[in-house]
C-alpha cells in the first residue's frame, strides 16, 4: 500500500507582482504528479487553471487573470494531495487608464479594449471612463433620500455628463457637509483643469499648423483648377470632366502628403522597434547585467535572471533572441568556471563552500562540485600538515624557544588538524544528508542524487579521513617516536635532528595535547574505527613516556651519591633513603596522568613486553641506588666530603673516638651505609612497593624480591668488610698477647689477675662498641655479637692448641676465658657460647670425680682454695673494669627496652 502524498506547498513565484495576464513561474513542493493531477490553480482568488502549464512536481507556469484582490496567495489543488498552501503572495498591479477627454500620442479606441486572455474586443461605455471626482475634494455623501431629491429637482440629474445635469443636486448629494473654503478650493481645481485642457489643445494646434497650412493650400489649388476647367469648352460629358478633376485632385493630394505619410510610416516603424526593444529589453540587457552583477558578487541575481531568460527564450526560434541568448549562455559558462575556481580555493569557510556549491547546482554545472570540493579540501589539509613539518625542520638549527621544537611542532600540527578537520567533516555530513541543496535544489531531484552519490563514495571518504589520521600519527611519530616507523616512512615523515630525547615531562605535555585533539575529533562523531590509529599513537606515547621517565629517574638516583652529606639523625640515618623514596614518588606522580586511562584508552600494561620492560627498569632503578650505596661505602678516605658528623646528644661519646671536627673514616661510612641499608630493607623498599602497586605497576613482587636480595647481599658484604676491619686486629692481638714475656702454660705462677692482653682486647671491643653506638644504636648488637664470635673462636683455637697446662696455667686460662665471657655476656650467640665451651673443655678439670658427682647430685661441696681464688680474681677484674664495662650494661638495658 502506497503512502499518501503531502498537500501542495508553494514556496516561490517569479515575478511576485505584475498586471493582469502576466506570465509567472510558480515553485514549490508536491505540485502534482503530472498535468492530469493538477485540478486547481488560483492566484489572488482568480482561477488560472486554463493558462497553467505543469512542468514538474516543483514548477508550474501560468498567466495571471483578472484577480478579485490586489494581493493574495497562490493556491494549488491536486488529485493526489488535495488543496495546498502558500508561503508567498502575488501583488496585482492596475494599469493606468486614459480618459476619453485625455490627450494621448497613441490612438485610443473609446468604444473597445483588447482582451489579451481571450483575444477578443469588448465594448465598454465611454462614460465609464469619466472622472470619479471632478471637483478634486473629498466626497461626503449626505443623508438626503433619493426620492426627496427627485421631487425637489424634477426632470434633472446629478450625473454631470447628463444633458439635464443639476449642479445643486450634485452638491447636495456629494458635498452637503463640505465647508465654504473647500468649495472655493473646488472652484480653483475646476479652473486649473479647464486651463490645462485649453493649453493642451493649443499646444496640439500649434504643433500641427504646418499640416493645416498644407491642407489649406491643397484645397485652394483644387478650387482654382475646378474654376479653370469650368470656363473651358471641353468635349465630353460633365461626368467625365468631374472624374478627371477628382483624379487630378487625388494625385495632387498624394503629392502634397507623400512626405507627411512617409514620415508617419517611418515613425510607426520606429515606434514598433522601440516597443519590441522595450518589451524584450530584459533579454537585450541581460549579458551586460550579468557582467555587472558578477563583478559586484550578486550571484543570486544572475542565477534568477538566467532562470527567467531560460524559461522565456531557451527554446525560441527567433534569430535575434537566439543570438542574445547564446551570449547569455557564454557568460553563464564563464560564471560556472569562476564559481568552481572559488569553490576549490583554499582556505575557505564552510559557509562559502556551501554557497558556491548551491550556485553551481542552480547553474546546472557538470560533474559533482560538492565532491570536487571535498577532494580539494582533503589534499589541502594534507599539504598543510606536511608544510608545517617542513617549516619546523627548516628552522630547527636556529631554534631558541624554551619548549623543544618537537613539542611546538606537535602543538601546531594538532591545532591545525583540529581547526580544519571539523569543516571538512561537516561538509561531508551536509553532502550525505543533502543539506547542501536544501535552499536551492529540488528536494526530489538534486538532494536524492546527492545522497546517492554520497552512499557510493562513502568508502572513498573513509579513506580520506584515514589518510589524514595516518599522516597526523606518522608525523608525530617521526618527531617523537622515529624508531616506530619503517625506513621509507621515516624519509617521508621524519628528518628531525635527534640531539637528545625528550624528557618525561615534555612527553606528558605532548600526550595531553594529543588527547585533547582526540577528544575534539571524537566530539565530531567521527567513527572510532577511523580514530583507532590515534589511540595507538597515544598508547605508544604513554609507554615511551613511562620508559623515558624511569630511565631519567635512574639517572637522577645515580646522582644522589653526590648529594650525600653524611649528616645522620638520631637513628643513624642520612637523608639519602628519604631522597631516594622522594625521587621515586615524584617520578610516579609525574606519570599519574599517563598511567590513568581516558575513555576509550587501554592500559599501558596490557602488553606483556611493556610489563617486562617496566619491571626491568624499576629493578634497574633499585639496583642503581644499591650500587650508589656501595660506591659511597667504598669511597677512599681522601675522597670523603669534609662534612661534620652529628652526634646524638642522648648517647654521649664516652671515649671521644669521634669528634665533630674530624673527617669520616671508611669504617664510619660503612656503618652509616649499613644503617641506611637496614632502614631501606625495613621501610623504604616496602613503601616504594606500595607506591608501585598504587600506580598499577605489574610485577611489584618481583621488583621487591630482587631489590631486597640485592640489598641484603650488599648489606652482608659491607658488614663482613666492617667486621673484618674491626675483628682482625683484635683477634690478631690475642696470640701475641697471651705469650708475651715468654709466658708458658706449663710453667707459670699462681694467677694474680686477668692479664693485660685480655684487657686490651676488651678495650678494643669497647672502642668498636662506641664507634657503632655513635652511628647507630641498632647496629651495636649485630656488630658486637659478630666480633665476640670471632674473638671466642680464636680464643678457643688457642686453648685447643696448648699441649699441656699446669695447675696454675689452667687456673689462669679459666680466669681469662670466664672474664671475657662474663664481660660480653649480652652479645653471646650460640656460636660464641660454643667456642667458649670448647675453650673451657680444653683446660684440665679442677674438680675431682667425687666432687663432680656430688655437684651433679646437688650436694654442697667444700670449695678448694683455687676455686675461691678464681672467684676472687673474677670479682677483682669486674671491679677494676667496672667503668669500661658500663657501656655493655647500658646496651643491655637498651636491648631489653
Amino acid at each position: 500500500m502506497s503512502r499518501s502524498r503531502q498537500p501542495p506547498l508553494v514556496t516561490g513565484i517569479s515575478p511576485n507582482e505584475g498586471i493582469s495576464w502576466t506570465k509567472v513561474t510558480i515553485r514549490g513542493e508536491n505540485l502534482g504528479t503530472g498535468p492530469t493531477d493538477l485540478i486547481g490553480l488560483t492566484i489572488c482568488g482568480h482561477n488560472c487553471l486554463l493558462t497553467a502549464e505543469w512542468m514538474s512536481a516543483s514548477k508550474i507556469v501560468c498567466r495571471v487573470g483578472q484577480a478579485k484582490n490586489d494581493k493574495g496567495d497562490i493556491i494549488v489543488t491536486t488529485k493526489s494531495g488535495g488543496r495546498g498552501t502558500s508561503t508567498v503572495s502575488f501583488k496585482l498591479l492596475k494599469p493606468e487608464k486614459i480618459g476619453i477627454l485625455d490627450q494621448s500620442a497613441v490612438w485610443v479606441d473609446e468604444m473597445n479594449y483588447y482582451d489579451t486572455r481571450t483575444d477578443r474586443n469588448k465594448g465598454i461605455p465611454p462614460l465609464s471612463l469619466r472622472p470619479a471626482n471632478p471637483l478634486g475634494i473629498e466626497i461626503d455623501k449626505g443623508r438626503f433620500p433619493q426620492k426627496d431629491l427627485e421631487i425637489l429637482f424634477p426632470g434633472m440629474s446629478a450625473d454631470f455628463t447628463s444633458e439635464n445635469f443639476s449642479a445643486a443636486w450634485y452638491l447636495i448629494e456629494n458635498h452637503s457637509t463640505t465647508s465654504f473654503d473647500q468649495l472655493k478650493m473646488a472652484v480653483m481645481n475646476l479652473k486649473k483643469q479647464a486651463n490645462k485642457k485649453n493649453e493642451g489643445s493649443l499646444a496640439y494646434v500649434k504643433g500641427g499648423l504646418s499640416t493645416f497650412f498644407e491642407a489649406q493650400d491643397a484645397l485652394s489649388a483644387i478650387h482654382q483648377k475646378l474654376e479653370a476647367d469650368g470656363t473651358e469648352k471641353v468635349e465630353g460629358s460633365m461626368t467625365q470632366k468631374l472624374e478627371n478633376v477628382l483624379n487630378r485632385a487625388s494625385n495632387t493630394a498624394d503629392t502634397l502628403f507623400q512626405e507627411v505619410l512617409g514620415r508617419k510610416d517611418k515613425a510607426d516603424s520606429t515606434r514598433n522597434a522601440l516597443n519590441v526593444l522595450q518589451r524584450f529589453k530584459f533579454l537585450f540587457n541581460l549579458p551586460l547585467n550579468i557582467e555587472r552583477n558578477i563583478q559586484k558578487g550578486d550571484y543570486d541575481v544572475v542565477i534568477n535572471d538566467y532562470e527567467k531568460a531560460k524559461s522565456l527564450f531557451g527554446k525560441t526560434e527567433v534569430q535575434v533572441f537566439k543570438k542574445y541568448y547564446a551570449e547569455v549562455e557564454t557568460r553563464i559558462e564563464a560564471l560556472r568556471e569562476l564559481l568552481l575556481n572559488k569553490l576549490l580555493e583554499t582556505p575557505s569557510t564552510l559557509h562559502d563552500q556551501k554557497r558556491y556549491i548551491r550556485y553551481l547546482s542552480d547553474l546546472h554545472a557538470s560533474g559533482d562540485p560538492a565532491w570536487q570540493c571535498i577532494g580539494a579540501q582533503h589534499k589541502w589539509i594534507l599539504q598543510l600538515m606536511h608544510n608545517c613539518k617542513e617549516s619546523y625542520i627548516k628552522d630547527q638549527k636556529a631554534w631558541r624557544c624554551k619548549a623543544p621544537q618537537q613539542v611546538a611542532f606537535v602543538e601546531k600540527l594538532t591545532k591545525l588538524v583540529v581547526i580544519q578537520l571539523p569543516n571538512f567533516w561537516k561538509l561531508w555530513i551536509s553532502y550525505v544528508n543533502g543539506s547542501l541543496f536544501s535552499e536551492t535544489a529540488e528536494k526530489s531531484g538534486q538532494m536524492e542524487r546527492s545522497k546517492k552519490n554520497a552512499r557510493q563514495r562513502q568508502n572513498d571518504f573513509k579513506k580520506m579521513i584515514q589518510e589524514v589520521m595516518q599522516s597526523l600519527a606518522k608525523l608525530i611519530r617521526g618527531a617523537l617516536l622515529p624508531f616506530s616507523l619503517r625506513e621509507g616512512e621515516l624519509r617521508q615523515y621524519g628528518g628531525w635532528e635527534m640531539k637528545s630525547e625528550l624528557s618525561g615531562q615534555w612527553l606528558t605535555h605532548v600526550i595531553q595535547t594529543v588527547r585533547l585533539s582526540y577528544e575534539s575529533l571524537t566530539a565530531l562523531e567521527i567513527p572510532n574505527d577511523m580514530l583507532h590509529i590515534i589511540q595507538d599513537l597515544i598508547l605508544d606515547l604513554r609507554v615511551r613516556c613511562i620508559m623515558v621517565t624511569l630511565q631519567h629517574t635512574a639517572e637522577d638516583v645515580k646522582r644522589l651519591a653526590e648529594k650525600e652529606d653524611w649528616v645522620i639523625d638520631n637513628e643513624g640515618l642520612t637523608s639519602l633513603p628519604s631522597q631516594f623514596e622522594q625521587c621515586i614518588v615524584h617520578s610516579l606522580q609525574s606519570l599519574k596522568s599517563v598511567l590513568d586511562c581516558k575513555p576509550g584508552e587501554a592500559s599501558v600494561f596490557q602488553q606483556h613486553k611493556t610489563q617486562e620492560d617496566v619491571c626491568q627498569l624499576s629493578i634497574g632503578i633499585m639496583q642503581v641506588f644499591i650500587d650508589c650505596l656501595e660506591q659511597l661505602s667504598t669511597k677512599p678516605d681522601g675522597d670523603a666530603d669534609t662534612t661534620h658528623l652529628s652526634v646524638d646528644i642522648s648517647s654521649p661519646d664516652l671515649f671521644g673516638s669521634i669528634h665533630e671536627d674530624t673527617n669520616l673514616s671508611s669504617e664510619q661510612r660503612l656503618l652509616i651505609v649499613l644503617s641506611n641499608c637496614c632502614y631501606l630493607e625495613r621501610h623504604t623498599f616496602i613503601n616504594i612497593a606500595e607506591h608501585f602497586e598504587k600506580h598499577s605497576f605489574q610485577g611489584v613482587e618481583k621488583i621487591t624480591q630482587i631489590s631486597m636480595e640485592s640489598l641484603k647481599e650488599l648489606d652482608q658484604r659491607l658488614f663482613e668488610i666492617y667486621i673484618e676491619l674491626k675483628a682482625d686486629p683484635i683477634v690478631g692481638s690475642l696470640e701475641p698477647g697471651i705469650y708475651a714475656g715468654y709466658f708458658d702454660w706449663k710453667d707459670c705462677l699462681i694467677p694474680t689477675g686477668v692479664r693485660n692482653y685480655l684487657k686490651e682486647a676488651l678495650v678494643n671491643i669497647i672502642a668498636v662498641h662506641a664507634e657503632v653506638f655513635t652511628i647507630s644504636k641498632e647496629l651495636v648488637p649485630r656488630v658486637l655479637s659478630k666480633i665476640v664470635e670471632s674473638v671466642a673462636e680464636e680464643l678457643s683455637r688457642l686453648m685447643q692448641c696448648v699441649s699441656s697446662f699446669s695447675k696454675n696455667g689452667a687456673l689462669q686460662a679459666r680466669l681469662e676465658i670466664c672474664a671475657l665471657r662474663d664481660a660480653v655476656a649480652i652479645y653471646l650467640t650460640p656460636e660464641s657460647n660454643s667456642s667458649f665451651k670448647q675453650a673451657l673443655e680444653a683446660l684440665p678439670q679442677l674438680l675431682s670425680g667425687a666432687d663432680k658427682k656430688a655437684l651433679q647430685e646437688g650436694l654442697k661441696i667444700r670449695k678448694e682454695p683455687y676455686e675461691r681464688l678464681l672467684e676472687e680474681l673474677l670479682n677483682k677484674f669486674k671491679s677494676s673494669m667496672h667503668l669500661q664495662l658500663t657501656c655493655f650494661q647500658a646496651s643491655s638495658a637498651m636491648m631489653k627496652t
Side-chain angles (χ1 to χ4, degrees):
M1 183 177 179
S2 62
R3 187 176 59 182
S4 60
R5 291 184 174 273
Q6 298 295 326
L9 174 64
V10 176
T11 59
I13 184 170
S14 178
N16 57 6
E17 62 180 12
I19 62 174
S20 300
W21 207 239
T22 300
K23 186 176 183 181
V24 296
T25 300
I26 301 171
R27 294 186 179 274
E29 301 176 359
N30 305 314
L31 301 183
T33 59
T36 58
D37 191 42
L38 183 65
I39 60 175
L41 173 60
T42 60
I43 299 177
C44 299
H46 188 271
N47 188 2
C48 303
L49 183 61
L50 292 177
T51 61
E53 182 180 359
W54 187 89
M55 308 299 290
S56 67
S58 59
K59 182 177 179 181
I60 296 176
V61 178
C62 70
R63 291 187 180 274
V64 180
Q66 292 288 345
K68 301 177 181 178
N69 303 317
D70 293 341
K71 189 175 184 179
D73 294 336
I74 302 93
I75 304 300
V76 177
T77 306
T78 61
K79 294 180 181 179
S80 58
R83 180 181 176 83
T85 57
S86 173
T87 61
V88 296
S89 59
F90 182 83
K91 183 177 181 181
L92 184 66
L93 303 178
K94 295 182 179 180
E96 297 181 359
K97 294 182 179 181
I98 301 175
I100 57 175
L101 302 178
D102 296 336
Q103 296 178 357
S104 173
V106 181
W107 182 265
V108 178
D109 189 353
E110 299 177 358
M111 302 301 296
N112 297 287
Y113 76 94
Y114 186 76
D115 190 340
T116 55
R117 183 173 65 86
T118 57
D119 292 334
R120 296 195 305 269
N121 289 325
K122 289 187 176 181
I124 59 174
L127 296 181
S128 63
L129 299 178
R130 67 181 181 272
N133 186 8
L135 297 182
I137 60 177
E138 184 178 359
I139 296 176
D140 185 8
K141 294 287 186 178
R143 298 181 180 179
F144 293 94
Q146 189 72 19
K147 294 182 179 180
D148 293 346
L149 293 174
E150 292 178 356
I151 296 173
L152 186 60
F153 300 98
M156 307 300 289
S157 173
D159 186 359
F160 57 84
T161 59
S162 175
E163 296 179 358
N164 300 324
F165 172 69
S166 172
W169 189 351
Y170 178 81
L171 292 175
I172 292 173
E173 182 179 359
N174 296 291
H175 300 284
S176 60
T177 60
T178 302
S179 64
F180 183 72
D181 293 336
Q182 288 181 330
L183 291 176
K184 289 171 63 177
M185 187 182 299
V187 173
M188 294 175 64
N189 291 339
L190 289 174
K191 290 180 178 180
K192 289 180 181 179
Q193 293 179 11
N195 294 334
K196 184 177 179 181
K197 290 182 179 180
N198 293 332
E199 292 176 357
S201 300
L202 182 60
Y204 270 77
V205 171
K206 289 180 179 179
L209 283 178
S210 60
T211 303
F212 294 145
F213 291 148
E214 291 177 358
Q216 181 64 30
D217 293 339
L219 290 175
S220 299
I222 292 172
H223 181 68
Q224 293 175 1
K225 187 65 175 177
L226 288 174
E227 288 180 351
D229 290 341
T231 57
E232 292 180 356
K233 295 179 181 179
V234 182
E235 294 182 356
S237 64
M238 292 298 294
T239 302
Q240 184 65 37
K241 291 180 180 180
L242 183 59
E243 288 180 357
N244 293 334
V245 171
L246 290 175
N247 287 333
R248 286 195 298 271
S250 176
N251 292 333
T252 303
D254 291 340
T255 302
L256 291 174
F257 288 95
Q258 184 175 6
E259 183 178 357
V260 176
L261 295 176
R263 287 199 300 269
K264 179 181 179 301
D265 293 339
K266 186 176 181 180
D268 290 341
S269 62
T270 302
R271 187 181 296 109
N272 292 334
L274 290 175
N275 289 337
V276 172
L277 289 176
Q278 183 67 22
R279 182 177 178 184
F280 300 103
K281 66 178 180 180
F282 165 73
L283 177 62
F284 299 143
N285 295 332
L286 187 55
L288 181 59
N289 290 337
I290 289 176
E291 292 289 345
R292 292 175 178 174
N293 289 326
I294 289 176
Q295 292 178 1
K296 293 189 294 184
D298 294 338
Y299 303 121
D300 289 311
V301 177
V302 175
I303 293 173
N304 291 334
D305 291 346
Y306 173 65
E307 287 291 335
K308 182 178 179 181
K310 187 176 181 180
S311 63
L312 294 175
F313 306 102
K315 298 179 181 180
T316 184
E317 296 297 331
V318 180
Q319 291 300 322
V320 65
F321 293 164
K322 291 176 68 176
K323 179 180 178 180
Y324 273 88
Y325 185 74
E327 287 291 329
V328 171
E329 286 289 357
T330 301
R331 284 162 173 75
I332 292 298
E333 184 61 31
L335 177 60
R336 293 191 186 103
E337 296 179 1
L338 174 64
L339 292 176
L340 183 60
N341 293 334
K342 287 183 174 292
L343 174 63
L344 301 182
E345 282 181 359
T346 52
S348 61
T349 64
L350 180 62
H351 176 267
D352 289 339
Q353 291 170 355
K354 288 184 176 182
R355 189 161 57 95
Y356 293 137
I357 289 172
R358 288 168 181 166
Y359 288 156
L360 290 169
S361 175
D362 290 343
L363 293 174
H364 307 289
S366 59
D368 192 346
W371 181 250
Q372 289 177 281
C373 181
I374 291 174
Q377 287 294 310
H378 170 247
K379 293 180 180 178
W380 180 64
I381 293 174
L382 291 178
Q383 188 62 43
L384 280 181
M385 295 167 67
H386 285 279
N387 291 344
C388 180
K389 184 205 76 169
E390 295 298 332
S391 64
Y392 275 90
I393 288 181
K394 183 179 180 181
D395 298 338
Q396 60 184 342
K397 293 183 179 180
W399 187 258
R400 294 292 184 272
C401 296
K402 182 178 179 180
Q405 193 175 27
Q406 291 95 324
V407 175
F409 162 69
V410 172
E411 290 179 345
K412 182 68 176 294
L413 181 67
T414 53
K415 182 179 180 181
L416 185 151
V417 173
V418 168
I419 291 176
Q420 298 299 331
L421 199 61
N423 287 341
F424 182 61
W425 177 259
K426 292 176 183 177
L427 180 63
W428 164 254
I429 296 300
S430 300
Y431 183 60
V432 170
N433 57 29
S435 61
L436 285 175
F437 313 99
S438 61
E439 297 179 3
T440 57
E442 297 175 2
K443 183 176 180 180
S444 59
Q446 185 63 33
M447 287 180 63
E448 295 301 324
R449 286 195 296 272
S450 174
K451 293 179 180 180
K452 181 179 179 181
N453 293 337
R455 288 192 296 268
Q456 295 175 351
R457 290 165 174 161
Q458 189 169 1
N459 291 332
D460 295 335
F461 181 77
K462 184 176 180 180
K463 291 179 181 178
M464 289 182 179
I465 292 292
Q466 290 174 344
E467 187 176 358
V468 173
M469 295 298 104
Q470 288 175 357
S471 297
L472 175 63
K474 289 180 180 179
L475 285 171
I476 296 177
R477 287 181 183 274
L480 304 176
L481 306 172
F483 52 85
S484 64
L485 297 177
R486 295 190 295 269
E487 183 178 356
E489 294 176 338
L490 194 59
R491 287 195 298 269
Q492 182 179 1
Y493 298 100
W496 299 86
E497 294 181 1
M498 304 300 291
K499 297 179 181 180
S500 61
E501 191 169 15
L502 292 180
S503 64
Q505 181 181 3
W506 284 118
L507 283 174
T508 303
H509 179 75
V510 169
I511 291 171
Q512 181 68 13
T513 301
V514 179
R515 277 175 167 172
L516 291 175
S517 302
Y518 176 79
E519 292 176 0
S520 300
L521 297 177
T522 305
L524 295 175
E525 299 182 356
I526 297 178
N528 289 332
D529 57 341
M530 296 185 184
L531 301 176
H532 184 69
I533 190 171
I534 305 299
Q535 292 180 337
D536 293 341
L537 171 64
I538 294 175
L539 179 60
D540 291 348
L541 287 173
R542 292 167 63 200
V543 172
R544 188 59 189 167
C545 181
I546 294 173
M547 300 298 181
V548 171
T549 301
L550 294 179
Q551 291 172 1
H552 290 179
T553 303
E555 296 175 1
D556 294 340
V557 169
K558 187 176 182 180
R559 288 191 291 269
L560 288 178
E562 304 172 0
K563 301 179 181 180
E564 178 60 278
D565 55 6
W566 300 105
V567 177
I568 60 175
D569 59 10
N570 294 335
E571 296 181 1
L573 303 174
T574 65
S575 61
L576 199 62
S578 176
Q579 290 179 4
F580 173 60
E581 183 176 352
Q582 290 176 1
C583 185
I584 297 293
V585 171
H586 178 73
S587 175
L588 294 178
Q589 287 178 346
S590 68
L591 290 174
K592 186 179 185 306
S593 62
V594 177
L595 293 170
D596 292 343
C597 296
K598 297 293 183 180
E601 293 181 357
S603 172
V604 291
F605 300 112
Q606 67 176 357
Q607 296 180 354
H608 182 71
K609 183 179 183 305
T610 303
Q611 297 179 16
E612 289 295 328
D613 293 343
V614 171
C615 183
Q616 292 301 323
L617 286 173
S618 302
I619 294 173
I621 293 173
M622 311 295 279
Q623 187 62 48
V624 165
F625 185 68
I626 295 172
D627 295 341
C628 176
L629 293 174
E630 184 173 12
Q631 176 187 355
L632 290 172
S633 65
T634 58
K635 182 182 293 186
D637 291 345
D639 297 339
D641 297 334
T642 58
T643 55
H644 297 156
L645 180 68
S646 66
V647 181
D648 189 355
I649 60 174
S650 64
S651 56
D653 183 7
L654 299 178
F655 300 97
S657 58
I658 300 177
H659 299 281
E660 292 184 359
D661 294 336
T662 59
N663 294 334
L664 292 177
S665 63
S666 60
E667 291 87 351
Q668 290 173 328
R669 288 199 302 273
L670 278 172
L671 285 174
I672 294 174
V673 173
L674 284 172
S675 178
N676 286 338
C677 286
C678 293
Y679 185 82
L680 289 169
E681 182 181 353
R682 292 196 305 269
H683 300 285
T684 305
F685 277 19
I686 296 175
N687 293 341
I688 291 175
E690 292 177 353
H691 286 297
F692 279 144
E693 291 179 350
K694 179 181 177 181
H695 289 83
S696 304
F697 271 53
Q698 304 296 314
V700 177
E701 294 181 358
K702 180 179 179 181
I703 297 172
T704 306
Q705 179 184 356
I706 296 176
S707 302
M708 286 289 191
E709 292 175 356
S710 180
L711 181 64
K712 289 178 180 179
E713 290 177 1
L714 174 64
D715 177 81
Q716 186 62 31
R717 190 163 59 251
L718 297 181
F719 180 75
E720 291 175 356
I721 293 174
Y722 183 78
I723 295 301
E724 184 178 354
L725 290 174
K726 293 301 180 180
D728 285 356
I730 299 174
V731 171
S733 66
L734 289 178
E735 186 173 3
I738 289 175
Y739 297 103
Y742 301 102
F743 178 80
D744 189 359
W745 296 108
K746 295 182 294 183
D747 185 15
C748 62
L749 301 175
I750 297 174
T752 59
V754 176
R755 290 185 293 170
N756 290 333
Y757 83 92
L758 189 61
K759 294 180 180 179
E760 184 181 353
L762 279 173
V763 170
N764 290 333
I765 293 174
I766 291 171
V768 174
H769 175 277
E771 183 180 65
V772 177
F773 189 86
T774 304
I775 301 299
S776 175
K777 303 177 183 64
E778 296 183 0
L779 285 177
V780 172
R782 182 183 178 191
V783 174
L784 269 292
S785 299
K786 194 65 177 178
I787 290 179
V788 169
E789 284 181 6
S790 300
V791 173
E793 182 181 359
E794 178 64 15
L795 191 59
S796 175
R797 185 188 67 82
L798 291 175
M799 294 297 107
Q800 292 175 8
C801 291
V802 178
S803 58
S804 64
F805 289 90
S806 65
K807 195 170 186 178
N808 291 335
L811 183 60
Q812 183 71 42
R814 190 175 296 276
L815 172 62
E816 294 173 350
I817 292 173
C818 291
L820 178 62
R821 183 190 63 186
D822 293 346
V824 296
I826 62 173
Y827 300 116
L828 293 178
T829 63
E831 290 78 8
S832 57
N833 274 324
S834 177
S835 297
F836 280 118
K837 183 178 180 182
Q838 291 175 2
L840 291 173
E841 290 176 351
L843 302 177
Q845 297 296 325
L846 297 178
L847 298 176
S848 62
D851 293 338
K852 287 183 178 179
K853 185 176 180 181
L855 187 62
Q856 291 174 355
E857 292 177 355
L859 300 177
K860 292 184 178 180
I861 60 173
R862 183 175 58 85
K863 291 184 178 181
E864 295 294 333
Y866 63 84
E867 293 177 348
R868 290 195 299 271
L869 179 62
L870 177 62
E871 185 175 352
E872 291 175 358
L873 292 175
L874 282 175
N875 291 333
K876 179 183 177 182
F877 167 75
K878 293 178 181 178
S879 176
S880 63
M881 295 286 292
H882 174 73
L883 182 61
Q884 287 81 359
L885 298 178
T886 303
C887 65
F888 296 147
Q889 296 175 0
S891 298
S892 176
M894 183 186 67
M895 291 175 66
K896 290 179 181 179
T897 58

